[in-house]
Amino acid sequence: MKANRILVTGANGFIGLPFCEALEHLEYRVNRVVRFSSTPNKNNSHKKNKIYEININQNTDWGDLLENIDYVVHLAGRAHIIRETEQDPQAAFRDVNTLGTGRLARSAAKWGVKRFVYISSIGVNGNLTQGSSFAEDDNPRPHNAYAKSKQEAEQLLHNISMETSMEVVIVRPPLVYGPGVKANFLRLLRMVDRNIPLPLASVHNLRSFISLDNLVDFLILCLKHPAAAGEAFLISDGEDISTPELIKKIAAFMDQPTRFFPFPPKLLHFGAKLLGKEQVVDRLCGSLQIDISKARQVLGWKPSVSVDEGLKATVDWYLQNKK
C-alpha cells in the first residue's frame, strides 16, 4: 500500500521535530519545510523524505512542492516577540501568519491535498478566563497582533475550504511544554532552578497547558479521523493547575525547595503596568482554562501523558542540558 505523504512546515522547531519523527516512526513519508538557512544539514536520514528551506509569507512560490502530497500540517509562523523590532508588528504578523498561510492553503488545494491541519493559538479566544473555560464556540477575542493574525488565518482557511474540496482542521493549543521548550517556560525553569523567591503566595489561579507528547498525539489523530474535517479543537492536558502548584511540581522534580512570599496581585498588576509587563503578570497570576470536551467526544481523544509525566520529562531534559 502506498504510504501517505505529508508536508510539515516548521519541521525543525520545538513541535515540528518530534512530530516529524513520530510520523516517520509510523511510516508516513514526510517532506519537511524549514526556515531558509535555519539548518546547515540538507540531508535526511530517511532517503524517501526531503527537507526544503523556504521563507513563508504572502509571496512564497510553492511551485510543485505540494504535488502528490496527501496532508499538510502547518506549524510554522511568526511567533509572539517580546522585544519587537518591526515598525508595524501587525503587518509583519499578517504577512506570515495570515497571508502566508492563505498562500500555502490555496496552493495545497490546487494540488489536490486532502486535508490541511493548522496550528492556531488559544489566543484567538483571548488571554484570560473568568469563571468559565474557553470553548470552540466562543466569540473570538484575540488579545494581541499575533493572536489577531491567527484568527484571520483561520477565517481564510474556512473560506478556502468552502471553495475547494480540501478539508481543514484547526487546533488551538495553550502554552506547550516539553523537552526542548524555549521562551517563557524555559525562563520559569531557570528561576525555579536558581531558587529565586517569587511573590506568588497570594495567587490562586488555574491554567491549562499541554505537553509536547499530548500535542503530537492529537495532531496525528487529526490527520485522518473523519470527524475532524471542518472542525476546530481546543486541547490541553485536561488538568488545570495554579502557577504556584506548577512551580512546586517543577521544584519537586528538581529536588529544590520553593520560596513564595505574599504580595497582593492587584499591586503586582499595577507595578507591571508601570513597567509595561502586564502580559507577564497575566500569565503568572491570571487564569486561562480550556474545555477539551469536544476533542474527547468528537474524536474520542484523551491525553496520554499526565501533567506530572510531562513536567518530569521536561525537567529531566532541562537538567541534562542546562550547561
Side-chain angles (χ1 to χ4, degrees):
M1 185 175 70
K2 180 184 175 183
N4 291 125
R5 185 177 285 283
I6 301 176
L7 183 137
V8 179
T9 69
N12 63 334
F14 167 53
I15 299 170
L17 190 58
F19 177 59
C20 289
E21 290 173 351
L23 290 174
E24 289 170 348
H25 181 72
L26 294 171
E27 298 187 350
Y28 284 89
R29 298 182 65 183
V30 185
N31 284 4
R32 305 185 187 204
V33 172
V34 303
R35 185 177 299 146
F36 185 74
S37 296
S38 64
T39 172
N41 182 14
K42 297 183 181 181
N43 297 318
N44 194 303
S45 59
H46 284 251
K47 294 181 180 179
K48 296 179 180 178
N49 304 328
K50 298 178 180 179
I51 293 177
Y52 300 92
E53 293 186 351
I54 293 174
N55 285 335
I56 298 174
N57 55 45
Q58 62 183 309
N59 298 314
T60 302
D61 181 4
W62 290 96
D64 60 358
L65 206 64
L66 292 149
E67 185 178 9
N68 297 322
I69 295 293
D70 300 297
Y71 306 99
V72 169
V73 180
H74 187 29
L75 299 170
R78 187 177 195 264
H80 176 66
I81 298 172
I82 295 175
R83 294 180 179 85
E84 183 61 74
T85 57
E86 292 285 343
Q87 291 186 345
D88 188 348
Q90 180 66 69
F93 281 118
R94 195 164 188 268
D95 181 41
V96 177
N97 295 347
T98 305
L99 302 178
T101 298
R103 178 89 169 188
L104 171 58
R106 290 195 183 279
S107 297
K110 184 187 75 171
W111 283 103
V113 168
K114 298 173 185 176
R115 182 171 290 187
F116 190 105
V117 180
Y118 179 58
I119 310 308
S120 185
S121 167
I122 194 58
V124 171
N125 288 69
N127 66 328
L128 296 173
T129 52
Q130 296 180 342
S132 60
S133 301
F134 283 139
E136 289 83 357
D137 56 1
D138 292 340
N139 289 326
R141 296 182 183 275
H143 64 288
N144 57 23
Y146 166 75
K148 179 66 175 175
S149 69
K150 288 288 191 176
Q151 189 251 328
E152 290 176 344
E154 288 188 18
Q155 188 58 52
L156 255 184
L157 290 173
H158 173 75
N159 294 341
I160 292 169
S161 180
M162 292 296 100
E163 297 164 5
T164 68
S165 61
M166 186 174 71
E167 299 169 346
V168 167
V169 184
I170 306 293
V171 181
R172 295 182 198 160
L175 187 150
V176 184
Y177 67 94
V181 71
K182 299 177 181 178
N184 292 320
F185 205 93
L186 180 57
R187 293 187 190 96
L188 181 62
L189 292 172
R190 288 171 176 161
M191 282 195 295
V192 176
D193 189 25
R194 293 167 185 166
N195 200 16
I196 297 173
L198 298 170
L200 301 175
S202 304
V203 172
H204 304 287
N205 64 343
L206 284 172
R207 296 191 72 88
S208 298
F209 303 93
I210 188 162
S211 74
L212 185 56
D213 285 341
N214 284 335
L215 179 57
V216 167
D217 180 62
F218 187 76
L219 292 177
I220 290 172
L221 180 64
C222 285
L223 284 173
K224 288 189 174 182
H225 198 300
E231 299 291 344
F233 296 98
L234 273 57
I235 53 166
S236 77
D237 288 331
E239 304 173 56
D240 297 346
I241 60 176
S242 68
T243 304
E245 186 180 359
L246 171 68
I247 291 171
K248 287 177 183 177
K249 287 178 180 291
I250 292 171
F253 290 127
M254 288 184 177
D255 291 325
Q256 290 275 19
T258 51
R259 300 170 66 190
F260 298 133
F261 60 91
F263 198 90
K266 287 186 178 180
L267 287 181
L268 272 178
H269 279 95
F270 179 74
K273 188 174 183 179
L274 293 178
L275 297 171
K277 301 291 185 180
E278 287 178 277
Q279 290 189 15
V280 175
V281 173
D282 282 342
R283 284 192 290 268
L284 288 173
C285 301
S287 292
L288 193 160
Q289 294 180 265
I290 291 174
D291 182 353
I292 65 171
S293 298
K294 181 177 177 180
R296 291 183 187 274
Q297 294 166 7
V298 175
L299 303 184
W301 181 76
K302 61 180 181 180
S304 59
V305 173
S306 69
V307 168
D308 282 353
E309 291 169 332
L311 287 177
K312 186 179 187 308
T314 307
V315 170
D316 288 347
W317 163 83
Y318 168 78
L319 294 175
Q320 291 168 9
N321 293 277
K322 67 177 183 178
K323 292 183 179 180

